[in-house]
């Protein structure tokens, strides 16, 4: 297997004005570490934002070749898709989950990379409340070049969670780790070869757990998968997330269990 010829980063964002700058700066720095022969594109999917996230994304990507943003409307909004708010076309996604947003971003990125076969494109996913290390993109590309069709990294949390909940979360992470590998899947740190992504139908577009759904489909189809425990991103420890069923819900449950136990 040869190394990918292109890397496409997809980031869904809903009202992330406090986090999006750090996220995009870290992603851009990570992409700079790739060989100059690797083409890169970025798609930020702006999900029904009512804060300054769209303006911040526009400012942060104004001089970023290959960067684009897509504005998503709620299905009940009485505006004509294609007119939006004057800042670009608007989209209505065909699903209720984050998977529908990631799917929209993937389709946009692959359309802009249509001069390449899907097998030469590595799709990288993270979240708007996450920062990635400088070696994030290169580590994914190296694993892809070694034959992986999917790579699931891990996450570490920012400060702010109660000590009991943070400790309990770390215990869960450790329990799911086996040497250099682990048994977790996070949309904040996920890479998939585009041809494999398309072959299994991409992300489930409804409900929670789109990352696990795609991963399970890849495994069921026999694609080679890697879950290196050392490939980490840093994500928010907030307990009120933008999508139900995600990491924030787990952290909120851990925090509540600690309080119920007087911890």
């Amino acid at each position: 297997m040869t190394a990918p010829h292109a890397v496409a980063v997809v980031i869904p964002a809903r009202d992330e004005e406090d986090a999006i700058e750090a996220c995009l700066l870290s992603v851009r720095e990570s992409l700079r570490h790739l060989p100059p022969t690797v083409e890169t594109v970025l798609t930020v999917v702006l999900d029904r934002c009512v804060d300054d996230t769209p303006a911040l994304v526009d400012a942060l990507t104004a001089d970023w070749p290959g960067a684009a943003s897509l504005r998503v409307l709620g299905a009940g909004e009485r505006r004509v898709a294609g007119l939006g708010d004057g800042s670009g076309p608007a989209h209505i996604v065909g699903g209720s989950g984050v998977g529908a947003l990631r799917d929209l971003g993937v389709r946009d990125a692959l359309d802009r990379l249509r001069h390449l076969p899907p097998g030469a494109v590595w799709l990288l996913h993270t979240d708007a409340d996450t920062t990635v290390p400088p070696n994030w993109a290169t580590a994914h590309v190296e694993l892809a070049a070694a034959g992986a069709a999917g790579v699931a990294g891990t996450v570490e949390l920012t400060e702010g969670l109660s000590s009991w909940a943070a400790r309990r979360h770390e215990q869960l992470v450790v329990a799911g780790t086996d040497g250099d590998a682990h048994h977790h899947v996070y949309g904040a740190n996920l890479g998939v070869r585009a041809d494999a992504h398309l072959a299994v139908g991409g992300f489930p577009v409804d409900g929670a757990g789109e990352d696990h759904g795609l991963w399970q489909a890849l495994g069921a189809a026999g694609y080679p998968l890697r879950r290196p425990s050392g490939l980490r991103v840093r994500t928010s420890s907030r307990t009120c997330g933008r999508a139900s069923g995600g990491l924030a819900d787990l952290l909120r449950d851990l925090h509540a269990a600690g309080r119920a136990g007087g911890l």
Side-chain angles (χ1 to χ4, degrees):
M1 179 63 64
T2 59
H5 296 166
V7 170
V9 181
V10 175
I11 305 172
R14 183 177 185 183
D15 295 341
E16 294 285 6
E17 62 184 7
D18 294 330
I20 193 65
E21 180 175 5
C23 173
L24 291 182
L25 290 176
S26 72
V27 168
R28 189 169 190 176
E29 177 62 22
S30 178
L31 293 178
R32 284 196 184 105
H33 286 71
L34 290 170
T37 54
V38 177
E39 187 174 356
T40 62
V41 299
L42 166 79
T43 302
V44 181
V45 183
L46 299 163
D47 177 28
R48 296 164 289 171
C49 293
V50 297
D51 68 354
D52 287 336
T53 301
L56 288 169
V57 170
D58 286 347
L60 289 163
T61 59
D63 65 342
W64 186 338
S69 62
L70 305 177
R71 286 167 171 78
V72 173
L73 300 179
E77 291 190 59
R78 292 186 174 275
R79 286 189 288 174
V80 179
L83 296 181
D85 57 6
S87 55
H91 303 264
I92 295 176
V93 297
S96 63
V98 179
L101 304 173
R102 296 194 194 277
D103 176 70
L104 176 62
V106 166
R107 286 187 282 114
D108 171 78
L110 291 182
D111 182 61
R112 289 188 284 138
L113 292 170
R114 58 186 177 274
H115 54 283
L116 293 173
V121 178
W122 189 253
L123 301 170
L124 265 178
H125 298 275
T126 191
D127 292 334
D129 65 339
T130 300
T131 57
V132 305
N135 73 332
W136 181 61
T138 55
H140 272 270
V141 164
E142 288 169 359
L143 290 166
V151 174
T154 59
V155 302
E156 60 184 17
L157 301 178
T158 60
E159 296 178 358
L161 199 62
S162 69
S163 59
W164 187 90
R167 186 165 59 252
R168 181 69 184 114
H169 177 262
E170 185 61 25
Q171 290 171 348
L172 292 175
V173 171
V174 170
T177 302
D178 182 14
D180 294 332
H182 65 92
H183 304 288
H184 307 283
V185 181
Y186 301 96
N189 191 1
L190 181 64
V192 181
R193 204 174 65 224
D195 62 330
H197 173 99
L198 296 172
V200 301
F203 289 104
V205 297
D206 291 309
E210 81 287 347
D211 41 12
H212 290 271
L214 173 60
W215 191 260
Q216 290 167 5
L218 291 168
Y223 285 102
L225 306 175
R226 292 287 305 276
R227 292 199 266 199
S229 58
L231 179 50
R232 289 195 167 199
V233 300
R234 189 167 176 80
T235 198
S236 171
S237 62
R238 65 190 180 194
T239 57
C240 183
R242 303 296 186 265
S244 62
L247 178 60
D249 282 1
L250 170 62
L251 298 180
R252 184 175 66 248
D253 291 345
L254 294 177
H255 181 73
R259 291 187 65 182
L263 301 172

